[in-house]
Amino acid sequence: MKIPPRIQPLVDDGLVDEVIRPLMSGKEAAVYVVRCGDAIRCAKVYKEADKRSFKQAALYQEGRKVRNSRRARAMEKGSRFGREQQESIWQNAEVDALYRLAAAGVRVPKPYGCFDGVLLMELVTDEEGLVAPRLNDVSMSAEQALEDHALMMEFVKRMLCEGLVHGDLSEFNVLVDEYGPVIIDLPQAVDAAANNNAFAMLQRDVTNMSLYYGQYAPELLDTRYASEMWALYEEGKLTPDTPLTGQFAESDEAADVDSVVAEIKAAMAEEEERIQRIMNADQE
């Protein structure tokens, strides 16, 4: 097939030998099957900020640290340089997360590096060597659902021990190979300690998984893994070896819903202001 313009520099540099076919196109990237020497891998081409449809990006980027003060100021102003730096942080966040999570025992695709907005990584396949299906295309027995759900909760726990929350975990962001589930799509992974929305995102991730596996094993619908993990995390007691029960007794203290809503609205307003700064900078 014709080589996509964003992948052409990798071909020129000898990192990619052939683009075999498109694999999928999502809200933040397009993925292609490529050949690198004798290995078949995939190339994830991140879409530019104005072409991504990932909603409320500011909620996910809150707490991401920028060590260079010049870059931080440029990002705040929304200058061209600042937007380039913001894009670099967004793209490299997934690479960093993949390396960290693989080392922590979470099943994710093996990364081979990110080059000018193109992430080269392992192509996850099934036992026949075909592209592994997404979880939403897989049916299973109750026994298998219980086993795989327990494994997913273990992965989510290990992610949290690394200080990360996926933030967009669902049956559409999990592949299933011959050994079980593999978590994908991590550019929006949030810093659990620095992002005020981390617990809400953890709850949503866990709920999505419990609802999906709960179709086959209804007893999973009554579990409370997110609250259990977060309570242990806040107390500094969550470790990779911490056993989970899925049970959690809520505090009698009422949740401050109004403050949570206010934080979300503030983050959305911040994103709107950032977009306006970009538009103003382009006009200038």
Side-chain angles (χ1 to χ4, degrees), residues 107 135 140-156 174 176-182 209 212-214 216-220 225:
R107 295 197 71 216
L135 178 59
M140 64 194 75
S141 65
E143 181 181 8
Q144 189 66 57
L146 289 170
E147 181 179 332
D148 285 2
H149 179 269
L151 187 56
M152 286 300 301
M153 293 304 99
E154 179 69 19
F155 290 162
V156 172
V174 177
V176 182
D177 67 8
E178 60 181 312
Y179 301 105
V182 180
M209 290 292 93
Y212 188 81
Y213 288 111
Y216 307 100
E219 58 265 43
L220 294 174
Y225 284 98

Side-chain angles (χ1 to χ4, degrees), residues 238-257:
L238 188 68
T239 73
D241 297 323
T242 300
L244 298 175
T245 65
Q247 305 301 313
F248 182 77
E250 292 286 358
S251 169
D252 293 334
E253 183 178 350
D256 188 357
V257 177

Side-chain angles (χ1 to χ4, degrees), residues 56-132:
Q56 300 178 359
L59 296 180
Y60 295 85
Q61 294 170 355
E62 176 186 319
R64 289 187 178 177
K65 300 177 179 63
V66 180
R67 295 180 181 179
N68 186 296
S69 58
R70 175 172 173 260
R71 292 179 181 177
R73 289 194 300 270
M75 289 164 56
E76 178 63 27
K77 291 178 180 178
S79 67
R80 183 182 299 275
F81 175 72
R83 297 198 301 274
E84 291 174 353
Q85 295 306 305
Q86 188 68 62
E87 281 301 285
S88 177
I89 290 174
W90 176 267
Q91 295 161 7
N92 286 313
E94 181 161 26
V95 184
D96 293 341
L98 288 173
Y99 280 116
R100 288 173 61 185
L101 295 180
V106 179
R107 295 197 71 216
V108 294
K110 181 179 179 179
Y112 295 101
C114 191
F115 311 91
D116 296 325
V118 180
L119 170 61
L120 282 180
M121 59 183 173
E122 171 192 4
L123 178 66
V124 181
T125 58
D126 62 16
E127 57 188 359
E128 296 179 357
L130 302 175
V131 175

